[in-house]
Amino acid sequence: MPDPVDSKLQEKLSRRLRFYEDLGLSPFYRNRHTAGMQDSSATLASPSESIEESPLPKSSAKSPSAPNAYVSQSAVLPAAAGPSLFEATNKMPGDTLPIVRADLGECTRCKLHKTRNKIVFGDGSSRADLIFVGEGPGADEDAQGLPFVGRAGRLLTQMIEAMGLQRPDVYICNVVKCRPPSNRQPEKDEVEACSPFLFRQLDVLQPKVIVCLGATAAQTLLQTNRGISHFRGEWLDYRGYKMMATYHPAYLLRNPAAKSEVWKDLQKVMAELGLQVKKNKAK
Ligand code: SF4
């Protein structure tokens, strides 16, 4: 007679393996006892699958306008200083934001830890229907340990309020949790090391809508290297969550004319969430 506990564990493991398949992690390999050691054999997928250098395989690179257009194929073990990707993306029943944050710890999984002041994990309601995902912290965020608190953050706050919400009603986070030097774009190894924690945040929050602010966030979740202009303003699917990509507030500070495009995107989000469209939009 099989032990009933074993069958439950088997079912959990099956669900977990399906989750990894969604992430493109195949074949699957792990040795818990060597997870903390430098071991290139533990790589779960080739770094050549990175979002910046390689488009999706043709078989999975569907039209971005189609439902379930993309699935995440993110895919290498984080650096040896922290838990493996198995642990990093291991959304356990009962996973919570504090647990994800605790697993992140005083992270040294990528080189961004060398220049950061504070890890910027995320901020907002753990029951939010709406999540904004940006690229990475800037100088103000790095100093305060909070996302979107500089000039771009103030614009994002205006946008949120124009939607009839307040910042505490939503959740805000970034692809990478440490500031890239001189606000450069995060590099592929940095995204690969940090994004599993974003994936876990999203799974814990289970939002109705994810709004990606800028190309890096959208490309990370969609696992594409296509420019944001190809799919901005369209409804997309990230592992069953409705997702909209729009321009980053920092881009709007440089290109104010694009605000009207962003406002159109946010109006679609508002309609999806059943929010009233207000006459006065973000200026
Ligand atoms: S960016 Fe992410 S992976 Fe890199 S050190 Fe910071 S928390 Fe760790």
Side-chain angles (χ1 to χ4, degrees):
M1 279 287 282
D3 183 330
V5 175
D6 286 346
S7 63
K8 278 185 187 170
L9 284 172
Q10 268 188 340
E11 174 53 28
K12 271 187 194 172
L13 187 56
S14 297
R15 282 203 304 269
R16 187 114 357 107
L17 288 171
R18 284 196 293 276
F19 175 64
Y20 294 135
E21 283 172 8
D22 283 349
L23 292 172
L25 303 181
S26 179
F28 188 79
Y29 170 86
R30 181 170 192 264
N31 179 344
R32 293 190 75 92
H33 301 293
T34 58
M37 298 168 62
Q38 292 282 8
D39 180 1
S40 61
S41 70
T43 299
L44 293 172
S46 165
S48 66
E49 291 176 10
S50 85
I51 60 169
E52 291 182 341
E53 293 189 353
S54 175
L56 285 173
K58 281 193 169 37
S59 60
S60 53
K62 301 174 187 168
S63 162
S65 60
N68 302 308
Y70 302 93
V71 291
S72 173
Q73 298 198 354
S74 176
V76 294
L77 281 173
S84 70
L85 181 60
F86 186 98
E87 290 153 321
T89 61
N90 188 15
K91 195 226 169 214
M92 299 291 290
D95 210 2
T96 64
L97 292 176
I99 291 171
V100 180
R101 179 65 187 88
D103 287 350
L104 186 65
E106 281 306 302
C107 183
T108 57
R109 290 172 182 82
C110 83
K111 57 188 175 296
L112 293 182
H113 83 275
K114 294 177 188 165
T115 48
R116 73 159 182 249
N117 285 305
K118 290 188 176 170
I119 290 178
V120 181
F121 180 68
D123 187 41
S125 170
S126 60
R127 292 161 57 182
D129 288 335
L130 175 59
I131 299 182
F132 290 93
V133 181
E135 178 177 290
D140 294 306
E141 291 78 13
D142 178 60
Q144 297 184 41
L146 291 168
F148 282 92
V149 290
R151 274 185 74 213
R154 285 194 287 280
L155 180 54
L156 176 62
T157 301
Q158 288 179 353
M159 289 157 53
I160 291 167
E161 290 174 354
M163 297 174 76
L165 297 168
Q166 301 294 315
R167 271 182 72 122
D169 297 327
V170 305
Y171 191 84
I172 306 172
C173 56
N174 287 302
V175 172
V176 294
K177 314 301 187 197
C178 302
R179 182 192 182 200
S182 307
N183 294 342
R184 64 159 170 76
Q185 265 195 304
E187 295 172 354
K188 65 179 182 182
D189 59 312
E190 296 157 358
V191 170
E192 286 167 353
C194 209
S195 56
F197 294 93
L198 169 64
F199 303 151
R200 276 180 69 183
Q201 285 174 296
L202 297 178
D203 273 339
V204 167
L205 291 160
Q206 299 192 345
K208 287 185 179 163
V209 175
I210 300 167
V211 174
C212 289
L213 299 169
T216 298
Q219 290 171 337
T220 299
L221 294 192
L222 299 178
Q223 284 298 281
T224 181
N225 60 1
R226 301 184 79 201
I228 190 171
S229 59
H230 291 284
F231 47 77
R232 200 219 88 241
E234 296 180 23
W235 281 117
L236 302 159
D237 178 280
Y238 166 69
R239 295 182 55 239
Y241 302 115
K242 295 201 86 167
M243 183 186 136
M244 175 79 66
T246 195
Y247 294 127
H248 194 286
Y251 174 80
L252 298 182
L253 291 173
R254 299 191 300 272
N255 302 278
K259 283 183 184 174
S260 61
E261 298 302 312
V262 171
W263 181 238
K264 282 182 206 160
D265 302 341
L266 295 181
Q267 284 179 310
K268 291 180 191 172
V269 173
M270 291 167 67
E272 181 65 26
L273 295 174
L275 298 170
Q276 294 285 324
V277 176
K278 289 168 76 173
K279 291 270 193 277
N280 55 329
K281 62 181 182 179
K283 296 203 182 335

mmCIF file of all heavy atoms in Angstrom, residues 104-105 107-114 116 119 175-179 190 193-195 197, ligand 1:
data_model
loop_
_atom_site.group_PDB
_atom_site.id
_atom_site.type_symbol
_atom_site.label_atom_id
_atom_site.label_comp_id
_atom_site.label_asym_id
_atom_site.label_seq_id
_atom_site.Cartn_x
_atom_site.Cartn_y
_atom_site.Cartn_z
ATOM 1 N N LEU A 104 15.594 35.838 -0.250
ATOM 2 C CA LEU A 104 16.498 36.736 -0.977
ATOM 3 C C LEU A 104 17.680 37.123 -0.083
ATOM 4 O O LEU A 104 18.833 37.137 -0.523
ATOM 5 C CB LEU A 104 15.737 37.983 -1.434
ATOM 6 C CG LEU A 104 16.482 38.972 -2.317
ATOM 7 C CD1 LEU A 104 16.821 38.348 -3.660
ATOM 8 C CD2 LEU A 104 15.639 40.239 -2.520
ATOM 9 N N GLY A 105 17.368 37.393 1.179
ATOM 10 C CA GLY A 105 18.414 37.688 2.164
ATOM 11 C C GLY A 105 19.244 38.902 1.782
ATOM 12 O O GLY A 105 18.803 39.776 1.051
ATOM 13 N N CYS A 107 21.414 39.533 -0.415
ATOM 14 C CA CYS A 107 21.769 38.791 -1.623
ATOM 15 C C CYS A 107 23.097 39.244 -2.250
ATOM 16 O O CYS A 107 23.367 40.441 -2.362
ATOM 17 C CB CYS A 107 20.642 38.946 -2.632
ATOM 18 S SG CYS A 107 20.898 38.011 -4.130
ATOM 19 N N THR A 108 23.875 38.260 -2.650
ATOM 20 C CA THR A 108 25.107 38.521 -3.406
ATOM 21 C C THR A 108 25.131 37.667 -4.674
ATOM 22 O O THR A 108 26.194 37.297 -5.156
ATOM 23 C CB THR A 108 26.349 38.216 -2.552
ATOM 24 O OG1 THR A 108 26.284 36.852 -2.111
ATOM 25 C CG2 THR A 108 26.433 39.128 -1.347
ATOM 26 N N ARG A 109 23.938 37.339 -5.185
ATOM 27 C CA ARG A 109 23.877 36.421 -6.320
ATOM 28 C C ARG A 109 24.388 37.027 -7.622
ATOM 29 O O ARG A 109 24.664 36.301 -8.562
ATOM 30 C CB ARG A 109 22.438 35.934 -6.518
ATOM 31 C CG ARG A 109 21.950 34.997 -5.414
ATOM 32 C CD ARG A 109 20.463 34.719 -5.563
ATOM 33 N NE ARG A 109 19.969 33.871 -4.492
ATOM 34 C CZ ARG A 109 19.641 34.327 -3.284
ATOM 35 N NH1 ARG A 109 19.751 35.604 -2.992
ATOM 36 N NH2 ARG A 109 19.201 33.494 -2.360
ATOM 37 N N CYS A 110 24.405 38.342 -7.700
ATOM 38 C CA CYS A 110 24.972 38.952 -8.915
ATOM 39 C C CYS A 110 25.824 40.149 -8.520
ATOM 40 O O CYS A 110 25.807 40.601 -7.376
ATOM 41 C CB CYS A 110 23.882 39.331 -9.915
ATOM 42 S SG CYS A 110 23.081 40.909 -9.600
ATOM 43 N N LYS A 111 26.526 40.686 -9.507
ATOM 44 C CA LYS A 111 27.507 41.736 -9.201
ATOM 45 C C LYS A 111 26.867 43.049 -8.758
ATOM 46 O O LYS A 111 27.555 43.920 -8.222
ATOM 47 C CB LYS A 111 28.421 41.974 -10.412
ATOM 48 C CG LYS A 111 27.697 42.344 -11.692
ATOM 49 C CD LYS A 111 28.671 42.364 -12.849
ATOM 50 C CE LYS A 111 28.002 42.614 -14.192
ATOM 51 N NZ LYS A 111 27.050 41.551 -14.604
ATOM 52 N N LEU A 112 25.565 43.212 -8.929
ATOM 53 C CA LEU A 112 24.940 44.461 -8.506
ATOM 54 C C LEU A 112 25.006 44.662 -6.990
ATOM 55 O O LEU A 112 24.873 45.779 -6.502
ATOM 56 C CB LEU A 112 23.477 44.514 -8.975
ATOM 57 C CG LEU A 112 23.262 44.608 -10.491
ATOM 58 C CD1 LEU A 112 21.777 44.694 -10.822
ATOM 59 C CD2 LEU A 112 24.003 45.806 -11.073
ATOM 60 N N HIS A 113 25.234 43.585 -6.260
ATOM 61 C CA HIS A 113 25.300 43.735 -4.799
ATOM 62 C C HIS A 113 26.490 44.594 -4.372
ATOM 63 O O HIS A 113 26.472 45.227 -3.325
ATOM 64 C CB HIS A 113 25.367 42.363 -4.117
ATOM 65 C CG HIS A 113 26.741 41.778 -4.048
ATOM 66 N ND1 HIS A 113 27.296 41.058 -5.081
ATOM 67 C CD2 HIS A 113 27.683 41.824 -3.067
ATOM 68 C CE1 HIS A 113 28.505 40.675 -4.732
ATOM 69 N NE2 HIS A 113 28.774 41.126 -3.523
ATOM 70 N N LYS A 114 27.506 44.652 -5.245
ATOM 71 C CA LYS A 114 28.738 45.350 -4.843
ATOM 72 C C LYS A 114 28.542 46.852 -4.731
ATOM 73 O O LYS A 114 29.251 47.519 -3.989
ATOM 74 C CB LYS A 114 29.846 45.062 -5.871
ATOM 75 C CG LYS A 114 30.280 43.619 -5.891
ATOM 76 C CD LYS A 114 31.323 43.403 -6.968
ATOM 77 C CE LYS A 114 31.628 41.930 -7.136
ATOM 78 N NZ LYS A 114 32.337 41.655 -8.379
ATOM 79 N N ARG A 116 25.320 48.430 -4.461
ATOM 80 C CA ARG A 116 24.034 48.874 -3.900
ATOM 81 C C ARG A 116 24.199 49.382 -2.482
ATOM 82 O O ARG A 116 25.149 49.010 -1.777
ATOM 83 C CB ARG A 116 23.033 47.716 -3.898
ATOM 84 C CG ARG A 116 23.354 46.677 -2.826
ATOM 85 C CD ARG A 116 22.183 45.818 -2.437
ATOM 86 N NE ARG A 116 22.575 44.912 -1.383
ATOM 87 C CZ ARG A 116 22.695 43.591 -1.527
ATOM 88 N NH1 ARG A 116 22.421 43.002 -2.685
ATOM 89 N NH2 ARG A 116 23.067 42.842 -0.508
ATOM 90 N N ILE A 119 18.744 46.889 -0.812
ATOM 91 C CA ILE A 119 17.922 46.058 -1.691
ATOM 92 C C ILE A 119 16.527 46.676 -1.736
ATOM 93 O O ILE A 119 15.969 47.067 -0.712
ATOM 94 C CB ILE A 119 17.849 44.610 -1.165
ATOM 95 C CG1 ILE A 119 19.216 43.924 -1.331
ATOM 96 C CG2 ILE A 119 16.759 43.822 -1.884
ATOM 97 C CD1 ILE A 119 19.260 42.503 -0.788
ATOM 98 N N VAL A 175 12.387 44.225 -11.746
ATOM 99 C CA VAL A 175 13.016 42.980 -12.187
ATOM 100 C C VAL A 175 14.261 42.708 -11.351
ATOM 101 O O VAL A 175 14.448 41.608 -10.832
ATOM 102 C CB VAL A 175 13.383 43.047 -13.682
ATOM 103 C CG1 VAL A 175 14.203 41.823 -14.091
ATOM 104 C CG2 VAL A 175 12.128 43.157 -14.528
ATOM 105 N N VAL A 176 15.148 43.683 -11.229
ATOM 106 C CA VAL A 176 16.321 43.519 -10.357
ATOM 107 C C VAL A 176 16.135 44.375 -9.114
ATOM 108 O O VAL A 176 15.578 45.458 -9.170
ATOM 109 C CB VAL A 176 17.653 43.868 -11.072
ATOM 110 C CG1 VAL A 176 17.935 42.892 -12.183
ATOM 111 C CG2 VAL A 176 17.680 45.300 -11.555
ATOM 112 N N LYS A 177 16.593 43.847 -8.013
ATOM 113 C CA LYS A 177 16.327 44.480 -6.711
ATOM 114 C C LYS A 177 17.464 45.397 -6.265
ATOM 115 O O LYS A 177 17.354 46.007 -5.194
ATOM 116 C CB LYS A 177 16.112 43.403 -5.636
ATOM 117 C CG LYS A 177 15.188 42.259 -6.028
ATOM 118 C CD LYS A 177 13.800 42.724 -6.388
ATOM 119 C CE LYS A 177 12.859 41.548 -6.602
ATOM 120 N NZ LYS A 177 11.645 41.948 -7.332
ATOM 121 N N CYS A 178 18.530 45.455 -7.012
ATOM 122 C CA CYS A 178 19.645 46.351 -6.667
ATOM 123 C C CYS A 178 19.901 47.295 -7.830
ATOM 124 O O CYS A 178 19.728 46.927 -8.998
ATOM 125 C CB CYS A 178 20.915 45.559 -6.372
ATOM 126 S SG CYS A 178 20.716 44.362 -5.035
ATOM 127 N N ARG A 179 20.355 48.484 -7.503
ATOM 128 C CA ARG A 179 20.547 49.519 -8.521
ATOM 129 C C ARG A 179 21.712 49.186 -9.447
ATOM 130 O O ARG A 179 22.843 49.002 -8.979
ATOM 131 C CB ARG A 179 20.821 50.854 -7.842
ATOM 132 C CG ARG A 179 20.977 51.983 -8.839
ATOM 133 C CD ARG A 179 21.539 53.235 -8.204
ATOM 134 N NE ARG A 179 21.635 54.304 -9.195
ATOM 135 C CZ ARG A 179 22.415 55.360 -9.072
ATOM 136 N NH1 ARG A 179 23.151 55.505 -7.985
ATOM 137 N NH2 ARG A 179 22.449 56.271 -10.014
ATOM 138 N N GLU A 190 22.381 39.443 -14.569
ATOM 139 C CA GLU A 190 21.723 40.055 -13.416
ATOM 140 C C GLU A 190 20.220 39.766 -13.433
ATOM 141 O O GLU A 190 19.621 39.444 -12.401
ATOM 142 C CB GLU A 190 21.997 41.561 -13.416
ATOM 143 C CG GLU A 190 23.472 41.886 -13.250
ATOM 144 C CD GLU A 190 23.885 43.258 -13.774
ATOM 145 O OE1 GLU A 190 23.028 43.999 -14.321
ATOM 146 O OE2 GLU A 190 25.087 43.587 -13.659
ATOM 147 N N ALA A 193 19.679 36.153 -12.529
ATOM 148 C CA ALA A 193 19.882 35.868 -11.104
ATOM 149 C C ALA A 193 18.721 36.374 -10.260
ATOM 150 O O ALA A 193 18.330 35.735 -9.278
ATOM 151 C CB ALA A 193 21.189 36.499 -10.629
ATOM 152 N N CYS A 194 18.158 37.498 -10.643
ATOM 153 C CA CYS A 194 17.183 38.158 -9.767
ATOM 154 C C CYS A 194 15.736 37.845 -10.123
ATOM 155 O O CYS A 194 14.870 37.834 -9.248
ATOM 156 C CB CYS A 194 17.411 39.670 -9.813
ATOM 157 S SG CYS A 194 16.950 40.506 -8.285
ATOM 158 N N SER A 195 15.455 37.597 -11.386
ATOM 159 C CA SER A 195 14.051 37.473 -11.802
ATOM 160 C C SER A 195 13.306 36.306 -11.152
ATOM 161 O O SER A 195 12.084 36.402 -11.000
ATOM 162 C CB SER A 195 13.952 37.380 -13.325
ATOM 163 O OG SER A 195 14.720 36.310 -13.822
ATOM 164 N N PHE A 197 13.010 35.702 -8.183
ATOM 165 C CA PHE A 197 12.329 36.269 -7.017
ATOM 166 C C PHE A 197 11.129 37.107 -7.443
ATOM 167 O O PHE A 197 10.115 37.163 -6.747
ATOM 168 C CB PHE A 197 13.324 37.074 -6.168
ATOM 169 C CG PHE A 197 14.371 36.186 -5.573
ATOM 170 C CD1 PHE A 197 15.582 35.972 -6.211
ATOM 171 C CD2 PHE A 197 14.114 35.508 -4.386
ATOM 172 C CE1 PHE A 197 16.530 35.107 -5.679
ATOM 173 C CE2 PHE A 197 15.054 34.647 -3.843
ATOM 174 C CZ PHE A 197 16.267 34.441 -4.494
HETATM 175 S S1 SF4 B 1 20.099 42.393 -8.173
HETATM 176 FE FE1 SF4 B 1 18.982 40.668 -7.284
HETATM 177 S S2 SF4 B 1 20.300 38.900 -7.626
HETATM 178 FE FE2 SF4 B 1 21.592 40.713 -7.886
HETATM 179 S S3 SF4 B 1 22.493 41.044 -5.850
HETATM 180 FE FE3 SF4 B 1 20.635 42.299 -5.991
HETATM 181 S S4 SF4 B 1 19.008 41.034 -5.075
HETATM 182 FE FE4 SF4 B 1 20.737 39.679 -5.580
#
